[in-house]
């Protein structure tokens, strides 16, 4: 079966060939035999992947399409959509992971044979790994009877039934929860067979689990506005606060990041639910590939149609949707979960808090990510007060800005425990980790956040209190919090940080500023000498594209994934001249690593900027929207190259303009043909200008720090006005 159904856009063709989109447009205009569009729109046409691949080979645009790129393009252009393709790929990868001989047997024949035999093989693998998976060709009687087959609780777990509600007090959910996974039938699988064969080949090289993580990461990265992700470091912190539970529930599982972060143990059982059937299915497959524990997964609105009404979990981890008005306020007025008060329509987060407590065993722990307004909104003060009185809310942790979307807001973590005893003098742990906010757009200092939060929670959980750390942590008697507002914002309840040497610290900043200003004056370029008109003839020019074809430099583009915990050089870092600060989705994609002497340019935004990588930046991963040029030292001086690429006129002629953005075609940038000695003369001058520019930036940063410190010192009384 030919893979003619898989479509690819112009952007995908550019990635396959390692060129810009402008090159693809030129090919379409200049080559009459370029494949015709088979779908898409007039402004964004789609082409048959097989035809494009054949054309690229015929015209020697590339020797061979990389396997991972071919598989990704097959997935992205699947006729039933990328999510269906990703689910089919995940099912096949689970079979490859668990029973490789079965896969080798059924994949050895024709595409039709593979599609016909795969559902039975998947049934044997998925049913024990993901209990409740819907089987093809049969009606599930538990669904017909109004029950949910995903709500399967092992006998070893004690189950306490929820308080039954009378028909008059609880609305029947319009859409009951459904199994997260349904084994696809042979006709549904047949269009995916070429993709599955490619996925199997990729898994043979990388492994089944890394292959799925790579494909999932690329899909999430390609659709950033469709998904709200929980960053891995935050997920790890939330899982660590929950301890090592055996039974864990995530009622708003998203892509499964929280459950994936839970520490493994032999008797672990995972339960997941999400209102999005797509995310529920992807989470079920991701967790099944990650752990041998049974994964119970359901799709449905958790608050209106809970898939686990009888569950009593050891821990609940949740990153709920924020600020939802349509969470079920009108339907759930008499729901038995509201033990601490009926949440207002504007308090959807407090509904999630009480749902989490209702699904815990006595003494179980829940950790929820919350917007900071939940700690202080007047509409929720009565519920907050009851949570405090009964000892259910144990800690509120203020995270640094940038910890999770929305990145501009410093979110909170709420740690709750289902009361199993009455506290004589209950206290609440308040922690403020805001001081670990990183400079620029980079994420927070996660090692510092993790150490501070876990140390405070460990001491509080063990001893019932913590030693006060001004501005960082304090255990507050509940009686102090039960005022008219019941405001639980840590920054408003913690004593200000002590600064015994504020004046001395600012004196040090002032000394560094003086030294930087002196250095800046020394580095200032001398007065410009005009070139005599007789010597100002136009130099012969070449382009970056011509230099790349001649082998004088190598051109690479930033990736869409990489290994975890590797610093990423972002376009913002290049523009601001700062250290690598970014992150990329975790995947097995081979990242582009920078080396000393590389020249890096951002391709979006229209700024005339080029940065030469130094020893401090070398080894960072090249981020998105960046192009790296690696010159041959025998042919090109790096500073000469970077300097001429920064010319404003040069950028203007190499840029294309859309309605909302400017994109740079790096291959069209020009520089003069000069002998090596002349290149070095220019390079030395460009290097000196770069040093002057860095000194100016440092002077500005120190000046802002000095001004901010003076304002703070004068207002908090640590610095005298005279």
């Amino acid at each position: 079966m030919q893979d003619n159904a898989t479509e690819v856009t112009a952007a995908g063709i550019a990635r396959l060939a390692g060129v810009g989109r402008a090159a693809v447009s030129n090919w379409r205009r200049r080559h009459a035999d370029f494949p015709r569009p088979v779908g898409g729109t007039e402004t964004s046409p789609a082409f048959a992947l097989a035809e494009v691949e054949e054309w690229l080979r015929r015209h020697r645009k590339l020797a061979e399409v990389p396997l991972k790129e071919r598989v990704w393009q097959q997935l992205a252009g699947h006729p039933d959509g990328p999510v269906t393709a990703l689910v089919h790929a995940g099912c096949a990868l689970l079979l490859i992971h668990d029973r490789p001989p079965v896969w080798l047997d059924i994949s050895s024949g024709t595409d039709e044979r593979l599609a016909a035999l795969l559902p039975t093989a998947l049934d044997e693998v998925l049913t024990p790994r993901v209990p409740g998976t819907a089987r093809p060709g049969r009606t599930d009687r538990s669904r017909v009877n109004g029950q949910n087959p995903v709500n399967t609780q092992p006998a070893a777990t004690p189950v306490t039934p929820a308080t039954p509600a009378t028909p008059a007090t609880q609305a029947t959910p319009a859409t009951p929860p459904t199994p997260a996974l349904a084994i696809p039938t042979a006709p549904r699988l047949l269009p995916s067979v070429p993709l599955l064969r490619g996925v199997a080949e990729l898994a043979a090289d990388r492994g089944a689990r890394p292959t799925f993580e790579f494909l999932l990461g690329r899909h999430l990265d390609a659709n950033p506005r469709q998904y709200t992700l929980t960053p891995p470091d935050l997920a790890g912190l939330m899982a660590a606060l929950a301890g090592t539970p055996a039974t864990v529930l995530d009622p708003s599982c998203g892509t499964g990041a929280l459950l994936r972060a839970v520490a493994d143990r032999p008797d672990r059982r995972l339960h997941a639910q999400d209102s999005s059937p797509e995310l529920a299915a992807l989470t079920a497959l991701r967790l099944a590939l990650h752990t041998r524990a049974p994964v119970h997964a359901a799709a449905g609105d958790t608050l209106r149609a809970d898939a686990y009404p009888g569950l009593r979990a050891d821990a609940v981890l949740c990153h709920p949707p924020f600020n939802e008005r349509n969470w079920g306020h009108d339907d759930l007025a008499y729901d038995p979960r509201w033990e601490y008060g009926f949440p207002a329509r504007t308090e959807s987060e407090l509904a999630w808090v009480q749902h989490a407590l209702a699904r815990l065993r006595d003494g179980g722990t829940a950790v929820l990510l919350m917007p900071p307004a939940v700690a202080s909104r007047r509409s929720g003060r009565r519920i907050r007060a009851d949570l405090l009185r009964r000892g259910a809310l144990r800690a509120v942790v203020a995270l640094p800005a940038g910890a999770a979307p929305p990145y501009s807001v410093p979110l909170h973590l709420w740690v709750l425990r289902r009361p199993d005893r009455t506290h004589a003098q209950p206290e609440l742990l308040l922690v403020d980790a805001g001081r670990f906010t990183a400079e620029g757009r980079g994420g927070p200092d996660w090692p510092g956040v993790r150490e501070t939060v876990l140390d405070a929670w460990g001491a509080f959980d063990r001893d019932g209190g913590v030693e006060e750390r001004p501005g960082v942590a304090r255990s507050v008697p509940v009686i102090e919090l039960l005022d008219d507002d019941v405001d639980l914002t840590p920054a408003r309840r913690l004593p200000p940080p002590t600064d015994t040497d504020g004046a001395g610290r600012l004196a040090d900043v002032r000394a560094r500023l003086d030294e930087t200003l002196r250095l800046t004056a020394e580095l200032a370029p001398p007065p410009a000498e005009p070139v005599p008109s007789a010597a100002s003839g136009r130099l012969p020019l070449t382009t970056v594209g011509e230099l790349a074809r001649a082998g004088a430099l190598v051109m690479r583009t930033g990736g869409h994934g990489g290994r975890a915990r590797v610093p990423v050089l972002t376009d913002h870092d290049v523009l601001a001249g700062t250290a690598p600060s970014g992150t990329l989705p975790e995947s097995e994609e081979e990242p582009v690593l920078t080396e000393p002497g590389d020249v890096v340019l951002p391709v979006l935004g229209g700024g005339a900027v080029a940065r030469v990588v130094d020893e401090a930046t070398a080894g960072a991963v090249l981020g998105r929207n960046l192009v790296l040029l690696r010159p041959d030292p025998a042919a090109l001086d790096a500073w000469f190259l970077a300097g001429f690429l920064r010319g404003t006129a040069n950028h203007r002629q190499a840029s294309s303009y859309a309605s909302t953005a400017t994109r740079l075609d790096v291959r069209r940038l020009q520089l003069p043909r000069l002998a090596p000695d002349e290149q070095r003369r220019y390079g030395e001058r460009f290097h000196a200008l770069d040093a002057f520019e860095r000194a100016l930036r440092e002077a500005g940063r120190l000046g802002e720090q000095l001004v901010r410190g003076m304002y703070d010192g004068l207002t908090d009384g640590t610095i005298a006005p005279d």
Side-chain angles (χ1 to χ4, degrees):
M1 175 180 174
Q2 294 298 315
D3 187 24
N4 292 326
T6 301
E7 299 176 1
V8 61
T9 64
I13 297 173
R15 180 170 289 278
L16 285 171
V19 299
R21 292 186 62 177
V24 178
S25 298
N26 289 335
W27 293 343
R28 292 184 63 195
R29 289 194 301 269
R30 296 176 181 176
H31 297 275
D33 63 338
F34 193 87
R36 300 298 180 189
V38 297
T41 64
E42 184 176 349
T43 57
S44 181
F47 307 84
L49 175 61
E51 295 178 6
V52 168
E53 187 180 67
E54 194 277 332
W55 187 90
L56 290 172
R57 286 200 184 97
R58 190 169 67 248
H59 287 264
R60 298 182 180 179
K61 299 301 183 183
L62 77 171
E64 183 64 45
V65 177
L67 175 61
K68 65 179 183 179
E69 196 59 44
R70 174 179 172 79
V71 170
W72 166 248
Q73 294 298 343
Q74 287 176 316
L75 188 146
H78 193 280
D80 292 330
V83 174
T84 296
L86 194 53
V87 171
H88 290 179
C91 289
L93 287 168
L94 186 59
L95 177 62
I96 294 169
H97 182 269
D98 282 11
R99 302 185 183 182
V102 175
W103 168 262
L104 291 175
D105 176 48
I106 67 175
S107 63
S108 60
T110 64
D111 289 357
E112 289 75 11
R113 178 177 181 269
L114 174 56
L117 296 179
L118 190 53
T120 301
L122 291 177
D123 188 10
E124 296 175 357
V125 172
L126 284 172
T127 301
R129 298 295 304 280
V130 186
T133 297
R135 298 178 177 179
R138 107 171 208 213
T139 301
D140 198 311
R141 294 194 172 274
S142 61
R143 289 275 308 282
V144 174
N145 294 330
Q147 300 171 356
N148 179 19
V150 182
N151 185 19
T152 305
Q153 184 68 17
T157 302
V159 177
T160 304
T163 305
T166 64
T169 60
Q170 186 171 11
T172 302
T175 305
T178 60
L181 281 175
I183 297 174
T185 60
R188 292 295 304 276
L189 285 168
L190 190 57
S192 299
V193 169
L195 167 67
L196 301 186
R197 293 191 187 279
V199 164
E201 188 178 352
L202 195 59
D205 180 50
R206 295 171 170 240
R209 184 187 305 165
T211 297
F212 187 75
E213 290 294 327
F214 160 69
L215 295 173
L216 177 62
R218 283 287 291 268
H219 173 67
L220 298 175
D221 192 51
N223 302 275
R225 297 186 179 182
Q226 294 183 22
Y227 307 102
T228 300
L229 304 180
T230 307
D233 290 300
L234 175 58
L237 174 60
M238 294 174 67
L241 288 168
T244 56
T247 305
V248 190
L249 166 68
D250 185 347
S252 180
C253 62
T255 59
L258 291 174
L259 292 177
R260 187 170 176 263
V262 175
D264 201 2
R265 52 182 290 178
D267 58 342
R268 185 172 68 175
R269 289 174 296 279
L270 304 177
H271 296 75
Q273 183 172 353
D274 199 275
S275 59
S276 167
E278 296 178 356
L279 292 179
L282 295 177
T283 291
L285 290 167
R286 188 183 196 190
L287 295 176
L289 281 163
H290 181 71
T291 178
R292 299 297 304 182
V295 178
H296 304 268
D301 186 328
T302 295
L303 295 181
R304 288 189 176 93
D306 182 17
Y308 311 104
L311 178 65
R312 293 296 177 265
D314 298 316
V316 174
L317 300 175
C318 187
H319 178 174
F322 297 161
N323 303 317
E324 278 200 333
R325 294 298 181 98
N326 185 27
W327 58 267
H329 179 271
D330 296 337
D331 303 327
L332 304 172
Y334 299 97
D335 195 287
R337 288 173 292 182
W338 315 141
E339 297 181 42
Y340 302 88
F342 181 41
R345 190 184 301 276
T346 57
E347 294 287 354
S348 62
E349 296 86 2
L350 292 180
W352 285 97
V353 164
Q354 295 191 73
H355 173 80
L357 286 168
R359 295 296 161 262
L360 286 173
R361 64 167 175 80
D362 290 346
T365 302
V367 184
L368 283 84
L369 183 67
M370 309 288 276
V374 183
S376 58
R377 280 195 296 243
R378 289 190 61 81
S379 55
R381 65 189 186 279
R382 292 183 180 177
I383 294 178
R384 293 197 299 271
D386 206 29
L387 289 168
L388 292 173
R389 289 191 191 97
R390 297 171 61 179
L393 181 57
R394 306 299 295 141
V396 175
V397 177
L399 297 170
Y407 290 107
S408 60
V409 177
L411 301 174
H412 288 179
L413 288 178
W414 282 26
V415 183
L416 303 110
R417 184 158 289 162
R418 185 169 180 84
D420 57 351
R421 59 187 175 88
T422 302
H423 295 267
Q425 293 181 332
E427 295 189 348
L428 176 72
L429 173 66
L430 296 177
V431 180
D432 189 350
R435 65 193 181 106
F436 295 103
T437 302
E439 295 283 340
R441 288 197 326 186
D445 173 13
W446 278 113
V449 173
R450 186 180 177 93
E451 180 181 5
T452 299
V453 173
L454 293 183
D455 284 352
W457 170 249
F460 180 81
D461 193 34
R462 181 181 62 251
D463 305 327
V466 295
E467 182 178 349
E468 182 177 294
R469 296 178 59 190
V472 177
R474 177 192 176 202
S475 54
V476 184
V478 165
I479 193 65
E480 292 186 19
L481 302 170
L482 297 177
D483 52 20
D484 289 340
D485 295 323
V486 196
D487 190 339
L488 308 182
T489 305
R492 295 171 185 161
R493 300 288 183 172
L494 293 174
T498 56
D499 192 351
T500 56
D501 192 25
R505 178 172 51 82
L506 291 179
D508 179 63
V509 173
R510 175 58 189 266
R512 290 163 57 197
L513 177 60
D514 289 343
E515 177 64 21
T516 303
L517 290 173
R518 182 190 62 77
L519 177 63
T520 304
E522 294 177 358
L523 292 173
E529 295 290 339
V531 177
S533 57
S536 60
R538 186 172 180 82
L539 296 172
L541 299 176
T542 186
T543 66
V544 169
E546 292 172 349
L547 291 170
R549 286 191 292 272
L553 57 82
V554 175
M555 181 171 164
R556 303 288 300 275
T557 57
H560 291 261
R563 304 184 186 95
R565 302 185 183 279
V566 178
V568 175
L569 185 68
T570 68
D571 53 348
H572 180 269
D573 299 330
V574 174
L575 292 169
T578 55
S581 65
T583 58
L584 286 174
E586 182 179 351
S587 75
E588 290 301 310
E589 180 177 354
E590 192 64 31
V592 178
L593 301 180
T594 58
E595 297 179 2
D598 289 344
V599 178
V600 179
L601 301 89
V603 296
L604 294 180
V609 175
R611 175 171 172 177
V612 178
V613 175
D614 56 16
E615 294 289 345
T617 307
V621 174
L622 188 69
R624 291 168 292 182
N625 301 321
L626 290 176
V627 170
L628 177 147
L629 304 178
R630 184 165 293 161
D632 179 357
L636 282 174
D637 180 82
W639 285 103
F640 161 78
L641 174 64
F644 272 97
L645 297 187
R646 288 191 62 169
T648 302
N650 202 2
H651 267 247
R652 188 181 300 118
Q653 65 85 27
S655 296
S656 57
Y657 303 94
S659 58
T660 59
T662 302
R663 186 172 187 88
L664 178 69
D665 185 352
V666 176
R667 291 176 178 271
R668 294 174 57 186
L669 289 171
Q670 299 175 334
L671 63 158
R673 298 179 183 271
L674 295 178
D677 290 343
E678 192 68 10
Q679 288 185 30
R680 283 190 286 272
R681 284 185 59 216
Y682 276 100
E684 290 172 358
R685 188 65 181 270
F686 287 138
H687 197 172
L689 283 174
D690 179 79
F692 175 61
E693 185 179 35
R694 289 173 182 266
L696 283 176
R697 284 201 188 101
E698 179 66 9
R701 188 185 66 82
L702 290 171
E704 290 180 1
Q705 187 176 344
L706 179 63
V707 170
R708 184 171 62 249
M710 289 294 295
Y711 271 111
D712 290 344
L714 289 168
T715 55
D716 63 22
T718 58
I719 296 177
D722 51 0

